[in-house]
Amino acid sequence: MKKAIIGLVAGLLIGSAGMAAAATTPTVQAVLAKFTFSVDGQKQTLKNDPLLYKGTTYLPVREVAQMTGYALEYDNTLKSIALKSKKSDVAVLTAENWIPLDELKNFNITVTGNLTDTITLILGPKTIDIPVPASKSGLYTSKTVYGNVELHFTEKDTLIELNSLKKAGFIQ
């Protein structure tokens, strides 16, 4: 009988602590939303619907991380989420290091060839042939005789990463 009373009291304490914690946690009303979602122009399907709350859309971060090529690190004790690049040498898409091919003329580089199979860059006596992938979408690393060159295909333009041309020894 003593054990039953102790069990009952313990159960009530645990239950009331759970209710107290739930009472202090704010609740919100959100709606499940249906959106067309794409990454670099390629349509993606989310397994979990986004939430819409006060005009802001909340996407499932784990799915988005996987779609964009990032690893998700979640720490429950710190209540933190970190997205980390799976490739340590992924170039950051910033205006400073990615430029459209036609702007290479500002570096005295002549661009010939076509986007069907090969782009040729000419700088004085140096020539570099950059193979182009069949699929013109997203980031692409092209292997050349000078080293790897990064290209980024968008709907509007083809961008080249200047640091990869520097690493390849093509420009200073």
Side-chain angles (χ1 to χ4, degrees):
M1 179 75 170
K2 230 180 189 184
K3 287 182 184 181
I5 293 174
I6 291 172
L8 180 62
V9 170
L12 288 171
L13 287 174
I14 291 170
S16 63
M19 286 190 295
T24 62
T25 304
T27 60
V28 296
Q29 283 191 334
V31 295
L32 293 175
K34 296 283 185 189
F35 287 97
T36 302
F37 186 72
S38 65
V39 176
D40 287 330
Q42 293 183 348
K43 189 175 178 180
Q44 302 289 328
T45 303
L46 292 168
K47 294 176 191 140
N48 299 294
D49 290 331
L51 292 175
L52 186 59
Y53 174 68
K54 290 187 177 181
T56 301
T57 304
Y58 296 89
L59 297 171
V61 69
R62 186 173 305 280
E63 285 184 63
V64 172
Q66 289 171 345
M67 287 178 187
T68 56
Y70 283 84
L72 182 133
E73 292 181 6
Y74 172 70
D75 187 329
N76 190 38
T77 56
L78 297 175
K79 299 293 185 210
S80 70
I81 296 171
L83 298 178
K84 298 206 174 174
S85 173
K86 289 182 182 177
K87 272 178 69 178
S88 60
D89 61 344
V90 170
V92 178
L93 291 173
T94 63
E96 296 85 42
N97 60 349
W98 287 90
I99 65 167
L101 285 176
D102 62 350
E103 289 185 22
L104 286 174
K105 64 182 176 240
N106 298 334
F107 294 86
N108 297 320
I109 298 172
T110 304
V111 180
T112 63
N114 55 47
L115 289 176
T116 322
D117 55 352
T118 303
I119 299 168
T120 301
L121 305 182
I122 303 165
L123 178 63
K126 290 183 176 180
T127 300
I128 185 172
D129 290 322
I130 304 171
V132 177
S135 171
K136 312 290 185 296
S137 177
L139 290 172
Y140 177 74
T141 301
S142 183
K143 296 182 186 323
T144 73
V145 293
Y146 286 99
N148 293 338
V149 175
E150 302 286 332
L151 298 172
H152 183 230
F153 297 95
T154 68
E155 289 180 25
K156 297 179 182 178
D157 221 337
T158 300
L159 306 173
I160 192 159
E161 208 267 333
L162 290 176
N163 288 333
S164 66
L165 287 177
K166 289 176 183 174
K167 287 179 189 174
F170 190 73
I171 61 173
Q172 301 289 333

